[in-house]
Amino acid sequence: MKAEQDGDLLEDSSQEDGVQTNQYSSISPPASPVAQDEPFSTYFEDKVAIPENVSQVFSFRKLWAFTGPGFLMSIAYLDPGNIESDLQSGAKAGFKLLWVLLGATVIGLLLQRLAARLGVVTGMHLAEVCNRQYPTVPRIILWLMVELAIIGSDMQEVIGCAIAFNLLSVGRIPLWAGVLITITDTFVFLFLDKYGLRKLEAFFGFLITVMALSFGYEYVLVSPDQGELLKGMFLRAGAAAVGLRISGHRRKNKKEVKEANKYYFIESTVALFVSFLINVFVVAVFAQAFYGKTNIEMNQECNATGSPHSDLFPLNNGTLEVDIYKGGVVLGCVFGPAALYIWAIGILAAGQSSTMTGTYSGQFVMEGFLNLRWSRFARVLLTRSVAIIPTLLVAIFQDVQHLTGMNDFLNVLQSMQLPFALIPILTFTSLTSIMNDFANGMVWKISGGIVILLVCAINMYFVVVYVTALNSVLLYVFAALLSIAYLCFVGYLAWHCLVALGVSCLDFGSRVSNRPAVLIEEQSEYDS
């Protein structure tokens, strides 16, 4: 059964070999670019050779061949928005919330495993599968929600870069100018991509190394209490993807699929461990140096060192509140100018890497959901413009010292979009009609459902807390109307997901079918 190239939904039912199947009976990987009327360049054209005739159970050569996607994915945990959450967690709660960071990393690894398996088995990324499996209206709504998440994330990332430029230039580069400078990453992206995906992955690896060295320097400089760190990480229970190069090639037999799944999981584990360490560095630095500090204490520290930023901290006994900008300032006041500049370099690396991966994932989302066949430059220009324009407007009308409120709003916006990625990935990886022998077993279905429910519930709680703090009846009414539409759509996705998980009593008119599809070995003609 072949997916239609024009991106329209497959017919609700068809006859094939005398067996009636519906839209979900099986899916084929995207058609080759050669089949298009006009040349169409895609990242899927880059193939990495997998070493053959390797008989060991584990091979470093094979692991190296599969290395790349996991580290690109891990950058999502290292963007300026997450770094700001880390430093605020450390400054407000000390080491007490490190267990949340550890739990979030483990949950992220489990969800990344599902995304990787979907790409390996089907040869497609999540946006393409959604394009083929959901009806037109839900598919368009999903695309819009994912685009909102990308815009929100990109705004934090670009603003983070602009703040880094402001700190490095001692305030000479205003926020709006930093945003304009950051736009040049688009052209860097195009330049590196022209020379192959491996070169691009190497550049991302370099940026992750810069972050590790920068924040690691701050960690060594501050020398956090290791006992308190470990206690906060392991003893305080009770106190929160897109696979890129993974998709694009359907493997011919179960042995190859199992091997790819194994190495992608190992690589993702290593990548997330590195991102976890970097996040721990940031939390620990601010927990050790600034937990319990007051505004007046920090004002006195900055005055004593001759810092021009002492006016950022009012003369009161209120608890010190920090963000990415103030975080660099307080490090400079307490530990010297070098700490401030090295912090800014780390933030710049975080912002640049995440804006470039945002461009990358934005193209996959737009191509997958809308089945676009544009030139590479046009795709990059569109996806960057969608995010850059609102960011530039914010930078023009806001100064660098008053961005915390916007950051809180963007965190809420992104939290609301989580179900639109998590629910579909669990749905599709649980369908034997899509995943064949690699569909989720009962343990993965139950644990995946619990994890997604937990993550969504926690994030919705913080959304409610944010909305109730607005103190505006008009905003309450507007939020209530949006909530009704939002919950209806989430309920629609959850209904399909529950049917995919085997709750047959809900299967009244659902388009989901868990009828087994043709075995992978029998689908090898798609590779020809």
Side-chain angles (χ1 to χ4, degrees):
M1 182 175 180
K2 186 176 180 181
E4 296 178 357
Q5 293 183 17
D6 61 3
D8 292 337
L9 292 171
L10 301 178
E11 296 296 329
D12 288 345
S13 62
S14 63
Q15 290 292 127
E16 185 174 341
D17 296 331
V19 178
Q20 188 177 28
T21 61
N22 71 4
Q23 175 192 356
Y24 286 85
S25 60
S26 65
I27 55 177
S28 61
S32 169
V34 178
Q36 305 295 325
D37 294 333
E38 299 179 2
F40 172 66
S41 60
T42 173
Y43 303 106
F44 294 158
E45 294 171 3
D46 271 0
K47 303 296 181 186
V48 179
I50 307 298
E52 301 291 343
N53 302 322
V54 178
S55 58
Q56 305 102 306
V57 175
F58 175 81
S59 166
F60 281 103
R61 289 176 58 209
K62 283 196 174 184
L63 178 61
W64 175 249
F66 285 98
T67 296
F71 281 92
L72 268 65
M73 171 273 301
S74 71
I75 290 174
Y77 294 79
L78 298 171
D79 71 326
N82 278 313
I83 298 299
E84 182 164 284
S85 297
D86 289 340
L87 66 91
Q88 290 174 341
S89 168
K92 292 182 179 180
F95 298 98
K96 297 175 184 177
L97 295 180
L98 277 173
W99 68 272
V100 178
L101 177 61
L102 177 61
T105 303
V106 173
I107 290 174
L109 178 61
L110 298 179
L111 296 174
Q112 177 62 19
R113 177 185 182 272
L114 296 181
R117 285 169 67 87
L118 181 68
V120 169
V121 174
T122 67
M124 291 183 284
H125 53 78
L126 181 58
E128 289 178 310
V129 179
C130 288
N131 176 281
R132 286 157 174 77
Q133 306 304 334
Y134 285 123
T136 303
V137 173
R139 184 176 76 232
I140 296 300
I141 295 175
L142 267 179
W143 168 64
L144 292 174
M145 294 299 101
V146 174
E147 286 292 350
L148 273 178
I150 291 175
I151 291 172
S153 177
D154 216 24
M155 288 180 71
Q156 288 181 315
E157 294 153 2
V158 174
I159 292 294
C161 286
I163 289 174
F165 284 124
N166 185 272
L167 287 172
L168 289 170
S169 65
V170 197
R172 295 186 180 91
I173 299 179
L175 201 62
W176 62 267
V179 170
L180 292 177
I181 294 172
T182 305
I183 294 175
T184 59
D185 72 23
T186 297
F187 299 99
V188 174
F189 174 83
L190 286 172
F191 174 78
L192 290 173
D193 180 65
K194 179 180 178 181
Y195 290 93
L197 190 55
R198 276 307 215 189
K199 303 291 192 305
L200 186 66
E201 291 172 343
F203 181 67
F204 284 130
F206 167 75
L207 292 177
I208 292 174
T209 302
V210 170
M211 283 185 270
L213 293 176
S214 299
F215 300 134
Y217 168 84
E218 309 283 1
Y219 183 85
V220 172
L221 182 66
V222 174
S223 299
D225 186 318
Q226 302 303 303
E228 288 297 313
L229 187 150
L230 293 175
K231 186 188 298 183
M233 191 178 298
F234 296 109
L235 299 181
R236 293 191 182 273
V242 179
L244 299 180
R245 181 161 54 79
I246 294 174
S247 58
H249 178 60
R250 181 189 289 267
R251 287 166 175 78
K252 294 184 179 180
N253 56 59
K254 289 195 290 185
K255 180 181 178 182
E256 290 182 356
V257 173
K258 287 181 178 179
E259 181 179 76
N261 284 332
K262 178 180 75 173
Y263 283 108
Y264 278 132
F265 183 73
I266 294 172
E267 189 243 0
S268 295
T269 302
V270 174
L272 280 179
F273 178 71
V274 172
S275 71
F276 172 71
L277 286 182
I278 294 174
N279 281 287
V280 168
F281 290 162
V282 177
V283 174
V285 164
F286 283 84
Q288 182 70 32
F290 305 109
Y291 174 56
K293 287 287 184 73
T294 62
N295 287 318
I296 192 170
E297 288 175 333
M298 191 51 59
N299 184 289
Q300 293 168 351
E301 291 260 18
C302 290
N303 276 326
T305 58
S307 170
H309 302 291
S310 58
D311 59 328
L312 289 175
F313 311 102
L315 294 171
N316 59 45
N317 288 317
T319 303
L320 176 67
E321 294 186 0
V322 289
D323 51 30
I324 287 179
Y325 179 71
K326 290 182 180 178
V329 170
V330 297
L331 285 172
C333 289
V334 178
F335 299 102
L340 184 153
Y341 292 127
I342 291 174
W343 168 262
I345 290 171
I347 295 299
L348 182 62
Q352 287 291 339
S353 60
S354 51
T355 52
M356 292 176 70
T357 52
T359 303
Y360 201 13
S361 60
Q363 293 178 76
F364 276 86
V365 166
M366 195 165 287
E367 292 166 11
F369 278 108
L370 303 183
N371 201 30
L372 294 181
R373 292 295 180 266
W374 293 1
S375 69
R376 183 171 299 180
F377 180 80
R379 283 177 281 148
V380 172
L381 185 63
L382 177 61
T383 53
R384 297 304 293 141
S385 299
V386 167
I388 285 292
I389 291 174
T391 307
L392 188 58
L393 293 175
V394 169
I396 291 172
F397 294 105
Q398 286 272 23
D399 62 74
V400 73
Q401 301 175 17
H402 300 90
L403 290 171
T404 301
M406 186 201 71
N407 189 62
D408 291 342
F409 170 75
L410 292 176
N411 284 333
V412 168
L413 177 67
Q414 293 174 78
S415 296
M416 293 180 66
Q417 312 312 316
L418 276 174
F420 305 128
L422 301 185
I423 295 177
I425 197 69
L426 181 61
T427 300
F428 299 139
T429 54
S430 297
L431 288 168
T432 54
S433 54
I434 291 177
M435 298 293 290
N436 300 289
D437 292 343
F438 296 92
N440 294 330
M442 186 57 65
V443 173
W444 271 99
K445 287 180 180 179
I446 295 175
S447 59
I450 292 174
V451 164
I452 290 175
L453 182 63
L454 179 64
V455 170
C456 292
I458 291 173
N459 281 277
M460 288 305 101
Y461 167 77
F462 287 112
V463 170
V464 171
V465 170
Y466 177 81
V467 171
T468 53
L470 295 176
N471 295 321
S472 170
V473 175
L474 183 61
L475 290 177
Y476 289 159
V477 173
F478 181 67
L481 294 175
L482 281 181
S483 298
I484 293 172
Y486 175 84
L487 292 174
C488 286
F489 187 57
V490 171
Y492 171 84
L493 297 178
W495 168 48
H496 282 277
C497 185
L498 288 171
V499 174
L501 293 176
V503 185
S504 56
C505 62
L506 296 178
D507 191 6
F508 45 88
S510 171
R511 300 171 67 89
V512 174
S513 171
N514 223 345
R515 184 181 295 111
V518 184
L519 291 176
I520 289 177
E521 290 89 339
E522 298 174 3
Q523 294 181 340
S524 60
E525 66 267 18
Y526 292 129
D527 290 303
S528 59

